[in-house]
Amino acid sequence: MSTRTESDWLDQAISLAAENVERGGGPFGALIVRNHELVATGTNQVTPTLDPTAHAEVVAIRAACQALGTFKLDGCLLVASCEPCPMCFASSMWARVDRIVYAADRDDAARAGFDDRAFYEVFANDSSTWPLTLAQVPVPDATLPFSKWEHKADRTDY
């Protein structure tokens, strides 16, 4: 079993992020750790892959799920070089990560040109002030997929 501390893991995430910058990627790195062992790593791949969801944390979560053969990362620690944005935090919740530790915070990211502070605040504001429109359109079969899901005997519950 590894005797690495959270600080050691954070140092590794920071190193991954710095190396990613040198390779042309964004300044973010993340690790998934389970039982004090490294499961997977991720770096920001937004610009190389043209995928706005390819944040380091999401990339690490995807790799860890593949490595462990599951979509649930309970028992895992997410180690991030920077405070996860709301998308990455929500992804961590969906993955059932137990805990997140991070080094730099949202203000450090903002000073470097990665200002996602507005994303943290959007849900606290009235939806009429949101930067994009979210509208439910009533259609007759809107809940059909859920009805089918509820009656599916062999479903895998999330």
Side-chain angles (χ1 to χ4, degrees):
M1 179 183 303
S2 174
T3 59
R4 296 185 70 183
T5 66
E6 288 178 351
S7 292
D8 295 330
W9 294 119
L10 283 165
D11 287 342
Q12 185 173 349
I14 292 165
S15 292
L16 276 173
E19 292 166 11
N20 198 49
V21 170
E22 292 171 4
R23 290 190 308 269
F28 303 94
L31 317 171
I32 300 291
V33 176
R34 180 184 255 171
N35 298 325
H36 306 285
E37 296 294 329
L38 181 64
V39 174
T41 65
T43 56
N44 182 284
Q45 298 296 309
V46 170
T47 56
T49 63
L50 305 178
D51 178 355
T53 68
H55 290 199
E57 298 88 341
V58 172
V59 171
I61 287 168
R62 290 172 180 163
C65 288
Q66 291 299 306
L68 296 172
T70 182
F71 59 88
K72 292 182 181 180
L73 298 179
D74 48 318
C76 289
L77 169 70
L78 170 62
V79 181
S81 64
C82 187
E83 180 178 6
C85 74
M87 176 186 70
C88 293
F89 184 80
S91 297
S92 300
M93 289 177 62
W94 273 112
R96 311 302 196 271
V97 169
D98 283 1
R99 186 162 186 256
I100 301 171
V101 295
Y102 61 89
D105 68 15
R106 64 184 80 172
D107 296 317
D108 298 318
R111 282 189 290 278
F114 295 89
D115 194 355
D116 57 5
R117 291 177 290 195
F119 298 129
Y120 292 93
E121 299 165 2
V122 73
F123 296 110
N125 298 322
D126 184 83
S127 62
S128 66
T129 67
W130 291 358
L132 61 91
T133 302
L134 178 68
Q136 182 178 18
V137 177
V139 293
D141 289 332
T143 61
L144 177 62
F146 296 117
S147 177
K148 287 188 174 288
W149 177 258
E150 289 172 336
H151 294 94
K152 184 175 173 53
D154 62 342
R155 71 177 184 243
T156 301
D157 289 327
Y158 291 36

